[in-house]
Amino acid sequence: MKLCLFSVSYAGFWGQHTLSVNDFITQAAQLGYDSVMLMGKRPHLSPLDFTPEEIESIQGALHEHQIKCSIIGGYTDFSGTGAAEVPFLEMQIQYVQQLVHLAQQLGASIVRLFTAYDAGLQMPHVLWSQVVSAIQECCDRAATSDVTIAVQNHHDVGVHSDALLELFHDIDRPNCKLGFDAWSPALRNENLFEAARKMAPYTAITTSADYIKMPRFAYQPELINYQRQQPDMVRAVKFGTGFIDYSAFFHGLKEGGFNGTATYEMCSPIRGGGSLDNLNAYASEYLTWMKTHLM
C-alpha cells in the first residue's frame, strides 16, 4: 500500500493550522509520505483559482520533494435539491470535469467523489437513480483523460457497504472504483474485517482517521437524573488509540486483494488542538502505526 496524506488536514478548518498547497507538499514529504491527496476546493485546489502558472508551481514542488499527487478530493452532493430551474447537477458534473483536468495536469490518477445527502425531498429510488446517472456521466468524462472516479462511503446514498456495492454495480463503468473507509461502517456497527474483505476487489483508495466516542446525556430536573442522548459525539484522536479496529479493517482489505492508496486525514477537531506541531504528530503516528502493523 502507498501511504498518502490529505491536504484537508492542513486547510484551516476546525481551527487547524493552515498551509498553502506547496507548503503542505513540503510538509508531507518531510514527514515521509509517499504521496499527497489534494483537496479540490478553497483554500487549496479550487478550479476557480488556479492559473497555469500556479499549476506549474505545484508541479515544481512535487518534483522538488520527489512526492506524487495521487488523488484529487472532490466535494459533491448529487441530490440536486433546490430550485428546479437551477442546474445543480450540471454544475456538479462540470466541477468534477474541472477536477479531472487538474488531476491530469498534476499526474493524479484518481478523483474522489461523494454521492448525495438524503434530505427526504425525493423518493429514495429517484434519488438513487439520479446519483447513478450523475456519476456515470462523471466517469464517462473522466475516461477521456484516463482518470478513475472513486466513490467514497461518506454521504447518505450508498453509505452501507451492501448498498455501496449495489450502487457501484449500477454505475457499471470500468473507471469507477470505490473509496472505502472504516469510519462509516465502524460507526454503524458493521463487521470491519468482513466488510473490508468484501469491498477490497473494487476499492482503489481508503482514507483513515481514528476517533473516540463521547456519550451524551441531557439533565432531566423533574427526575433528578439524566436522559441518554443518541448518537454519541465523536472526537478525532491519534491513529490506533480510538475505537475503530483498523487492524481488522486493513487485514480484511489485504485479504481481499487491496493494493491501492491508504490516505490519512484530520477532517474534524482533534485532541490536543490544531497547532502545526500537533497536526504533524498525528500524521507521523499514522505512518508509524501502518509501518509497524501492516508493512
Side-chain angles (χ1 to χ4, degrees):
M1 283 184 279
K2 298 177 287 293
L3 301 181
C4 179
L5 185 61
F6 192 6
S7 73
V8 71
S9 310
Y10 296 79
F13 304 137
W14 313 287
Q16 274 104 316
H17 186 89
T18 307
L19 293 179
S20 68
V21 173
N22 285 9
D23 286 344
F24 165 72
I25 290 168
T26 301
Q27 185 68 81
Q30 290 174 348
L31 290 169
Y33 277 86
D34 302 319
S35 65
V36 293
M37 176 176 177
L38 297 182
M39 180 182 69
K41 62 179 182 179
R42 293 172 176 169
H44 285 167
L45 198 65
S46 170
L48 286 174
D49 300 328
F50 273 82
T51 64
E53 292 75 22
E54 288 166 320
I55 293 297
E56 186 175 348
S57 176
I58 295 175
Q59 292 169 334
L62 293 168
H63 178 75
E64 177 185 353
H65 296 288
Q66 298 184 319
I67 193 169
K68 177 178 173 56
C69 175
S70 297
I71 310 159
I72 305 297
Y75 290 81
T76 53
D77 176 4
F78 294 115
S79 63
T81 54
E85 68 271 16
V86 179
F88 290 106
L89 288 176
E90 294 171 41
M91 293 176 184
Q92 295 273 288
I93 293 167
Q94 183 185 41
Y95 164 64
V96 174
Q97 185 169 270
Q98 292 171 325
L99 293 183
V100 166
H101 182 58
L102 289 173
Q104 189 178 38
Q105 292 177 287
L106 295 176
S109 59
I110 295 172
V111 170
R112 186 284 316 272
L113 301 184
F114 298 139
T115 58
Y117 289 119
D118 186 355
L121 302 177
Q122 298 162 280
M123 294 290 290
H125 286 288
V126 172
L127 179 57
W128 179 280
S129 296
Q130 185 168 286
V131 170
V132 168
S133 177
I135 296 178
Q136 284 176 331
E137 184 168 350
C138 290
C139 289
D140 292 342
R141 291 174 179 274
T144 62
S145 300
D146 199 27
V147 169
T148 294
I149 297 296
V151 182
Q152 190 172 357
N153 56 336
H154 186 284
H155 286 7
D156 301 340
V157 175
V159 71
H160 189 281
S161 298
D162 292 340
L164 182 63
L165 195 55
E166 193 73 15
L167 186 79
F168 171 79
H169 289 310
D170 280 2
I171 294 168
D172 191 27
R173 291 295 188 269
N175 66 325
C176 181
K177 298 294 182 182
L178 298 180
F180 187 67
D181 305 345
W183 166 75
S184 170
L187 284 173
R188 294 177 291 97
N189 297 313
E190 290 189 46
N191 183 302
L192 285 184
F193 176 82
E194 294 299 335
R197 183 171 61 176
K198 177 170 59 179
M199 306 301 274
Y202 316 102
T203 298
I205 62 172
T206 185
T207 304
S208 298
D210 211 350
Y211 300 88
I212 56 169
K213 292 181 180 181
M214 296 188 289
R216 297 186 304 117
F217 292 83
Y219 185 60
Q220 306 292 303
E222 71 278 11
L223 301 174
I224 318 174
N225 205 340
Y226 291 90
Q227 175 69 47
R228 183 75 161 90
Q229 303 292 297
Q230 294 288 352
D232 294 337
M233 184 176 175
V234 299
R235 189 182 198 191
V237 294
K238 283 188 176 180
F239 200 77
T241 67
F243 78 92
I244 301 176
D245 188 351
Y246 273 107
S247 180
F249 177 76
F250 277 110
H251 280 96
L253 281 181
K254 291 184 74 173
E255 187 167 311
F258 174 76
N259 191 32
T261 299
T263 300
Y264 183 64
E265 67 175 1
M266 290 167 275
C267 60
S268 64
I270 63 174
R271 177 189 283 169
S275 69
L276 182 60
D277 286 345
N278 199 41
L279 295 176
N280 288 342
Y282 272 59
S284 294
E285 185 61 30
Y286 173 77
L287 288 179
T288 299
W289 192 96
M290 292 291 285
K291 290 176 180 179
T292 299
H293 290 80
L294 298 174
M295 304 178 75

